[in-house]
Amino acid sequence: MSGMSRTGRGRGRARAEIAVVRVLEKRLGALPVVAEFGRRLRIAEIIDELCPVRPVAWISQVIEALVASRLTAPAPMLRVQERAAAMAVEEAYGIAPELLNDDRIARALDAVAPQLDAIAGGAGAAAITEFGVDVSRLHWDLTSISLYGAYPQADQDYPAPRWGHPKDRRADLKQIQTGLAVSGDGGIPVFHRAYHGGAAEVAQVTGAMTALKQIARTRPFLLAGDSKLISYTNAAAMAAQGAGFVAPLGAARVPAGLFAALPPQAGAVVDYAAGRDAGKPAAARGSYRVLEDGGMDLPGPRKTDPPVHLRRILVYSTANAAGAAKARARKLATATEDLNRLVRTAGTRFHPTTDAVAARVKAITTHRRAGAYVRTAITCDAAGKPVLSWHSGQAAIDASAAADGWYALTANLAPGQASPEEVFRRYKGQHVVERRYGEFKGPLAVAPLFLKTNRRIAALITVICLALLIFCLVERQVRNALRPHGETMTGLPGYRLTPARPTGRTIFQALAGLRLIPAHDGNPFLIPKPAGVQAHLLDLLDVDISRPRWLTQ
C-alpha cells in the first residue's frame, strides 16, 4: 500500500488521504483447460484409489500440479513453489504453493512410483472412453532420456539408468528409456512405460502389447512399429494373442537383389498423399506403388519351434527414390574429391607406403559410405613409391539405383483382413509417435534430468507422459471441432492472420496470456474476459472460464 497527501490552498482546509491498493495478478494461462481435461481423465481419482494416504499428504494434488506445471510453465523441476505462486495453481487445484516444496514433491513421487503402470493404464483407458479415442491402430516406439548423475545404488524394482545409445547424442550421460503407444486417431499417447537405459527395444514389445490389450479391453487393435518390432518371439506372441501388427523389414533381412530384380513400374499405384505434400500441386507430390510377394518365414530359436509366416508387402516411393539417388550422388562426389586428393599425395610424406595408402582408402570409403561404388588399385612405380588408381563401379551403382525407392513391410494380417494397399495405409502414420517424442522433449522441456533416485525418475516420467496426454487431447479436440471448417484458424501465435492448423504448442502459447485477479477485500476472484483467438479456443475446447467449475470451492 502506498499513500499520497494533498494539502488544500487554504490554511484551514482538511488534509485528504488517498490510498492506492495494488491487487496482485496471477498468470492463469491454460490452467482451466488442463484442470478440466485432468478431471475428465480422472487423474486425481485414479491416484487416490491406487495410493491411499493421509488426506494431508496432498499426493494427487501435487501430481496434478506437476502435470499442470509441465504444460503451462515447462522448466527443470526447480523452484516449482515459486512458479506456482506466480500462477493460479492454488485457485485451480486447491493446493497452496508452499506445499509444492522439494520435500513434498519427492514424497509424492515416491508414493505413486509403485503404481505407475496402473496410473498410466487408468488414464489411457479414461482417454479412450471419455474422449472416444479410436485405438484400432496404435504406433509403438522407444526414446531415451539422458540423466545427470551416476546412480550407483539404483533401486532394482525400477528402471535403472545405464549407458546406451542416446537419441540426443549425449554419450557422456546415462539414460532411461521410455516407450510410447500412440493412437492413429489424433496421435494420443494412451500408454507409456519406462525401461532400463540399456534395454533392447525388440524385447519390450510383448509386455507393452499385453498392457495395451488390457487398456483396449475388448477392442481389437493393430500395433505398428519400427523394424525392431520384428522378432520370432514378438511375432509368435502376437499371433497367440490375436494381435495384428505391421512394421518395416530391416534392410539386412531383405533378400539380396529382391528390389533390383523387380520390373520397372512394378506394383499397383496407391491413391495416397503424404502430409508433407498436402499443399503441393498433384504433379509435384510423391507417389507410391505396392505389391505383395510370397512372404517370409521367421524361424524359432529351437529346431522344434514352428516358423511364423509373415506377409511381405513391397512399397515403392518416388520421394524415397529421389532421396536415395541424391544421397548416392553426394557420397560419390565427396568420395571422388577425397580419392583424387589421395592420388596426388600417394607416395609423399603424408602416405609414403602402400599400407598407408590402403588405410586411407579404407577410411575414405568407410566415412563416405561409398565402398560399394568405387574400385581401387594400389601399385608401385619404378622408384618403389605407391601409386593409387581408381574408378567408379558402374555395375554396383546401376544395381543400387534399380533398388532406389523400395522398402518392405511385414504384417501378420490375413489377406482377407487387409489388402497390400490397406497394409501400407495402416503403417503410414508411424511418424506421429516421433512427433510426440519431439513434443515430449520440446514443449514439455524434458532436458537431461537429475533426481536422487531412479524410483523418482520413473515417477517423473509418468508425470511428463500424463502432461503429454493432455497436450495431445487438447490438440485433437480443437482440430476435431474445426474439421467442418477445414481444421485451420487465424490468430495463432506465429501466424497472425494467416490460417494455420492448430498444434498443441500454438494452442498453449495462445492461452498463456490469460490472467486471474485473486479474491480480495470481500470481492470474488476476477478473470478478465478473453477475446479473439483465446475466446475461440476456449469455445472449441468447451471450457467456460466464467464459471468456476474448474476451481476448488
Side-chain angles (χ1 to χ4, degrees):
M1 179 182 295
S2 61
M4 297 185 298
S5 64
R6 182 177 179 181
T7 304
R9 293 178 181 175
R11 292 187 60 183
R13 299 188 61 174
R15 189 178 184 181
E17 296 286 341
I18 300 176
V20 179
V21 178
R22 290 188 176 181
V23 178
L24 179 65
E25 247 185 25
K26 291 185 178 182
R27 282 183 54 210
L28 180 61
L31 281 176
V33 173
V34 177
E36 177 63 15
F37 275 62
R39 181 191 65 79
R40 293 177 66 183
L41 289 172
R42 299 181 57 249
I43 292 176
E45 292 179 46
I46 291 169
I47 292 173
D48 287 339
E49 290 171 4
L50 294 171
C51 311
V53 292
R54 294 176 303 154
V56 295
W58 300 88
I59 298 300
S60 59
Q61 291 93 331
V62 171
I63 298 300
E64 280 198 310
L66 291 178
V67 170
S69 176
R70 284 286 162 182
L71 288 163
T72 56
M77 206 168 62
L78 299 170
R79 297 187 292 276
V80 176
Q81 180 177 340
E82 296 175 19
R83 294 199 300 273
M87 296 198 67
V89 172
E90 184 171 8
E91 289 81 357
Y93 291 103
I95 183 170
E98 55 267 23
L99 294 179
L100 294 172
N101 54 65
D102 291 348
D103 183 61
R104 194 175 292 269
I105 289 173
R107 292 204 301 270
L109 294 175
D110 284 338
V112 300
Q115 300 292 341
L116 296 180
D117 272 1
I119 292 171
I128 294 168
T129 56
E130 175 67 20
F131 293 89
V133 177
D134 180 6
V135 291
S136 60
R137 176 165 53 90
L138 295 169
H139 297 269
W140 171 260
D141 200 5
L142 262 69
T143 194
S144 61
I145 301 173
S146 295
L147 306 167
Y148 292 117
Y151 300 96
Q153 303 296 327
D155 189 331
Q156 297 303 308
D157 292 332
Y158 298 92
R162 292 177 182 168
W163 303 109
H165 301 283
K167 302 294 176 66
D168 60 2
R169 302 185 186 278
R170 288 300 303 268
D172 58 317
L173 301 177
K174 289 185 177 181
Q175 66 177 25
I176 284 284
Q177 297 191 86
T178 301
L180 279 184
V182 175
S183 68
D185 172 17
I188 307 302
V190 294
F191 179 73
H192 68 269
R193 180 175 284 173
Y195 297 99
H196 297 299
E201 185 171 343
V202 69
Q204 314 309 323
V205 174
T206 303
M209 180 198 63
T210 301
L212 287 170
K213 284 182 69 69
Q214 293 175 350
I215 294 173
R217 297 177 183 173
T218 59
R219 303 175 184 87
F221 68 87
L222 172 78
L223 187 63
D226 62 15
S227 59
K228 300 182 185 65
L229 184 147
I230 304 301
S231 73
Y232 178 85
T233 301
N234 292 341
M238 284 187 273
Q241 297 196 35
F245 74 86
V246 58
L249 189 62
R253 288 186 168 182
V254 176
L258 174 65
F259 297 143
L262 295 172
Q265 302 303 312
V269 175
V270 178
D271 183 15
Y272 175 85
R276 62 176 177 271
D277 291 339
K280 297 179 182 179
R285 296 175 185 171
S287 62
Y288 297 86
R289 302 194 306 269
V290 299
L291 64 90
E292 184 168 4
D293 70 356
M296 58 181 289
D297 289 327
L298 286 180
R302 297 179 296 271
K303 291 183 178 180
T304 55
D305 291 330
V308 175
H309 183 76
L310 301 178
R311 294 172 67 190
R312 189 164 59 198
I313 311 300
L314 310 185
V315 181
Y316 177 81
S317 161
T318 56
N320 284 12
K326 184 176 180 180
R328 184 173 53 254
R330 186 168 54 248
K331 293 174 188 177
L332 284 169
T334 52
T336 295
E337 183 180 344
D338 291 346
L339 289 170
N340 285 341
R341 186 181 301 113
L342 183 57
V343 168
R344 297 191 299 270
T345 60
T348 68
R349 61 188 179 88
F350 299 103
H351 308 100
T353 66
T354 56
D355 287 345
V357 174
R360 180 57 183 158
V361 167
K362 183 177 181 180
I364 291 171
T365 55
T366 300
H367 179 64
R368 302 303 185 186
R369 293 182 293 175
Y373 308 132
V374 298
R375 302 293 180 265
T376 61
I378 303 172
T379 58
C380 292
D381 63 12
K385 291 183 178 181
V387 177
L388 171 67
S389 61
W390 74 277
H391 64 277
S392 298
Q394 195 57 46
I397 293 173
D398 292 343
S400 177
D404 283 352
W406 286 98
Y407 62 92
L409 299 175
T410 54
N412 66 348
L413 302 171
Q417 291 179 284
S419 67
E421 178 178 335
E422 289 169 339
V423 171
F424 164 79
R425 289 183 179 277
R426 293 184 187 187
Y427 171 71
K428 290 308 253 183
Q430 179 65 10
H431 66 279
V432 72
V433 71
E434 296 292 341
R435 178 184 167 210
R436 293 315 186 195
Y437 279 130
E439 289 157 345
F440 184 81
K441 298 183 179 182
L444 301 187
V446 183
L449 302 177
F450 176 77
L451 286 89
K452 287 187 176 180
T453 68
N454 60 313
R455 175 190 181 106
R456 293 173 187 172
I457 290 171
L460 181 59
I461 288 173
T462 286
V463 168
I464 297 167
C465 289
L466 290 174
L468 182 64
L469 175 59
I470 293 176
F471 183 91
C472 299
L473 285 169
V474 166
E475 178 186 274
R476 175 180 178 270
Q477 180 158 325
V478 169
R479 289 184 175 184
N480 285 351
L482 285 172
R483 186 161 294 152
H485 313 288
E487 289 193 26
T488 62
M489 60 184 296
T490 58
L492 291 170
Y495 295 94
R496 296 186 180 180
L497 298 179
T498 303
R501 196 179 187 208
T503 64
R505 183 193 293 262
T506 55
I507 293 168
F508 278 85
Q509 286 177 341
L511 296 175
L514 293 174
R515 55 197 178 92
L516 176 143
I517 300 172
H520 66 284
D521 298 335
N523 297 315
F525 72 89
L526 173 66
I527 301 174
K529 186 176 180 179
V533 68
Q534 292 176 337
H536 190 192
L537 286 171
L538 291 171
D539 182 57
L540 294 172
L541 291 166
D542 194 25
V543 175
D544 184 359
I545 62 174
S546 67
R547 292 182 297 165
R549 65 182 180 185
W550 50 272
L551 289 172
T552 300
Q553 300 298 311

